[in-house]
Amino acid sequence: MGLSSRSAVAIHALTMLARWGDRSLTSAEIADSLASNPVLVRRILGSLRDAGLVWSTEGRGGGWSLARAPREITLYDAYTAVEAGPILSRHPHPPSDACEVGRHMQALLEAEFRDAERAMEERLGRTTIAHLLRQVLDREREVALQNR
């Protein structure tokens, strides 16, 4: 299975929760920022909860909050919480052994794809939600200065 939009939704939600860390956010509030559906957001948040990245409270004043400090949550943590399987899709069935390309392609691609996936995992593991939040706030300050 290839990469879906679940990672982007999860990272967006985690960054929102970090931004308003002093209060819980509802799935509807997060969905508004994503211009998305609260049901989709709740599914993603459920996976993040199962991974120990967020927690929720029910009832009046309830909502979602980070379970760990933003500096302790990497983009790779978010990715692994919501994505299943390898990033790059493999052959759906073994290629033909009767073909010189087919005979070798699966093994060659497996090595290339594995290296590419490791590089992505390492890169996502270097960026934290705190780092993204800093970038959001910096960009917001720039916009405010430009609009003066």
Side-chain angles (χ1 to χ4, degrees), residues 19-85:
R19 171 65 181 94
W20 284 278
D22 56 336
R23 70 177 184 93
S24 295
L25 297 178
T26 66
S27 55
E29 290 172 313
I30 296 168
D32 281 345
S33 178
L34 285 155
S36 185
N37 184 312
V39 173
L40 167 73
V41 171
R42 275 192 294 278
R43 279 192 209 122
I44 298 291
L45 289 167
S47 295
L48 295 173
R49 180 187 51 220
D50 294 346
L53 301 177
V54 301
W55 57 277
S56 63
T57 54
E58 294 185 20
R60 188 164 174 79
W64 297 87
S65 300
L66 292 180
R68 301 191 327 217
R71 70 181 177 281
E72 296 173 359
I73 302 172
T74 68
L75 302 189
Y76 185 66
D77 294 330
Y79 164 78
T80 58
V82 299
E83 300 291 350

Side-chain angles (χ1 to χ4, degrees), residues 51-122:
L53 301 177
V54 301
W55 57 277
S56 63
T57 54
E58 294 185 20
R60 188 164 174 79
W64 297 87
S65 300
L66 292 180
R68 301 191 327 217
R71 70 181 177 281
E72 296 173 359
I73 302 172
T74 68
L75 302 189
Y76 185 66
D77 294 330
Y79 164 78
T80 58
V82 299
E83 300 291 350
I87 298 161
L88 299 168
S89 296
R90 285 10 184 217
H91 278 88
H93 51 80
S96 172
D97 273 341
C99 172
E100 63 188 22
V101 173
R103 209 174 5 259
H104 304 288
M105 191 53 60
Q106 196 167 4
L108 293 170
L109 283 180
E110 183 59 35
E112 292 296 325
F113 286 2
R114 200 171 345 132
D115 288 349
E117 288 167 346
R118 274 194 218 113
M120 191 196 92
E121 291 168 8
E122 189 274 328

